[in-house]
């Protein structure tokens, strides 16, 4: 299964906006008690967005060191 990195970056960015605006808050009520929560790791989400955007743009994230042969 192939991942569309451009679409995934857009989806994750929309999720980050929802977290920032408070749209993603969940609510649970047990009798008179009410709990609101949204568990999200914003740093990890931003890292995933950067990863998918870099692949979408065609940029390499890691570079290998090349060895060169020198004839003496």
């Amino acid at each position: 299964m192939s991942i569309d990195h451009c679409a995934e970056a857009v989806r994750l960015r929309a999720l980050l906006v929802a977290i920032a605006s408070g749209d993603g808050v969940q609510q649970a009520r047990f009798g008179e008690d009410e709990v609101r929560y949204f568990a999200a790791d914003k740093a990890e989400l931003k890292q995933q967005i950067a990863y998918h955007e870099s692949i979408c743009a065609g940029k390499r994230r890691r570079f290998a060191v090349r060895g060169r042969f020198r004839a003496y």
Side-chain angles (χ1 to χ4, degrees), residues 4-70:
D4 182 7
H5 293 283
C6 298
E8 187 67 12
V10 170
R11 185 185 73 81
L12 291 174
R13 184 147 316 267
L15 182 60
L16 185 62
V17 170
I19 292 169
S21 66
D23 290 339
V25 175
Q26 298 295 321
Q27 187 174 351
R29 184 177 286 264
F30 302 101
E32 294 180 10
D33 299 330
E34 181 179 337
V35 177
R36 293 181 180 195
Y37 61 92
F38 192 90
D41 185 1
K42 290 182 185 179
E44 177 66 25
L45 187 57
K46 288 178 183 179
Q47 184 179 3
Q48 289 294 319
I49 291 169
Y51 169 75
H52 288 292
E53 285 178 344
S54 69
I55 292 178
C56 179
K59 296 179 184 175
R60 295 190 310 179
R61 291 178 47 94
R62 299 180 68 181
F63 298 91
V65 176
R66 293 183 182 178
R68 294 184 181 172
F69 176 73
R70 296 182 186 167

